Amino acid sequence: GDAESVQRLCDLLGVRLITGSGDVARRARRRRESVEAAAREMRYAFLARAARDSGAQGVATGHTLDDQAETVLLHIARGAGLDGLAGMRPRSQRRAMGGAPALTVFRPFLEVRHKDAVAFCAARGIQPREDPTNRDLRFARNRVRLKVIPELERLKQEVKEAKDQYLRTLAEFDNAKKRLHREKEEFARFASET
């Protein structure tokens, strides 16, 4: 599983691994929040405790440009203000929750596309782990990732093609206008000579 895979990588790199677990569904029911929100809050509370216990100043996440796009689209869908439209920051402070200390979060890969991160790993013989729940369409983020963003990419291509056609039409119109202007000048010269 994931923990074993990460443990092997940590052993290879000589890095200590701290693991944890919790009952996300129970917390979501108890607090009347989505499973996604409960998992996120539990994950950050765990990371804050792990950082404190190991003497770290913060934690780094693997959020990519693709995650950022998903986050911004979700914020737009929820009617976020300017803060939400800015998405995740490369460095942010998370407030303490549930007895966990405050946490500094670093996101060094926010400008890296997911596919580029995967290619980087593959070139170094590292097999990234994919959480199977990332394909579960019950979760809003997954619907954005798997349905909305691909549709926006298709739309972007269609808009690009329409824009290109529009620019070609403008160029043709401009050429026709220049031709008409030349013909008008020729006609005026011809008329003045006769």
Side-chain angles (χ1 to χ4, degrees):
D2 289 342
E4 295 83 13
S5 175
V6 174
Q7 183 65 63
R8 283 191 299 275
L9 181 59
C10 287
D11 290 344
L12 181 69
L13 297 172
V15 175
R16 181 174 147 230
L17 174 65
I18 303 171
T19 61
S21 63
D23 190 341
V24 174
R26 185 171 145 231
R27 177 194 162 119
R29 280 191 309 275
R30 203 173 65 240
R31 297 204 177 184
R32 293 188 173 128
E33 59 190 354
S34 72
V35 170
E36 292 169 289
R40 180 178 50 254
E41 292 307 321
M42 289 176 72
R43 187 168 43 251
Y44 279 114
F46 165 76
L47 291 171
R49 286 189 302 275
R52 179 198 59 209
D53 294 349
S54 64
Q57 293 182 0
V59 298
T61 69
H63 292 112
T64 64
L65 187 59
D66 300 62
D67 297 309
Q68 181 77 295
E70 295 162 12
T71 297
V72 170
L73 287 171
L74 285 167
H75 287 176
I76 289 169
R78 294 174 182 144
L82 290 178
D83 243 14
L85 295 178
M88 296 179 280
R89 308 297 196 287
R91 179 177 187 235
S92 64
Q93 288 293 129
R94 290 204 46 105
R95 68 191 183 291
M97 295 199 61
L103 176 66
T104 301
V105 180
F106 300 95
R107 297 179 182 91
F109 304 114
L110 273 184
E111 294 184 13
V112 177
R113 296 289 312 256
H114 176 78
K115 67 179 183 172
D116 295 331
V118 169
F120 179 88
C121 290
R124 283 150 185 81
I126 299 168
Q127 178 63 47
R129 298 290 295 189
E130 179 77 27
D131 183 344
T133 64
N134 284 349
R135 303 205 71 68
D136 188 338
L137 294 176
R138 289 177 297 171
F139 302 115
R141 179 172 293 275
N142 295 344
R143 289 192 302 276
V144 167
R145 177 184 306 122
L146 301 171
K147 300 278 187 184
V148 175
I149 289 179
E151 190 58 37
L152 287 173
E153 290 291 335
R154 278 190 288 282
L155 181 60
K156 180 175 121 182
Q157 184 58 37
E158 290 172 16
V159 167
K160 181 188 178 307
E161 290 167 6
K163 177 199 68 151
D164 291 346
Q165 178 59 45
Y166 176 72
L167 291 175
R168 282 191 297 277
T169 302
L170 277 179
E172 290 170 13
F173 176 75
D174 189 52
N175 289 336
K177 188 174 91 174
K178 287 176 184 172
R179 236 183 1 262
L180 184 61
H181 183 69
R182 280 193 308 272
E183 290 174 4
K184 180 180 163 192
E185 285 178 342
E186 286 177 26
F187 180 75
R189 266 196 315 273
F190 175 74
S192 67
E193 292 173 357
T194 56

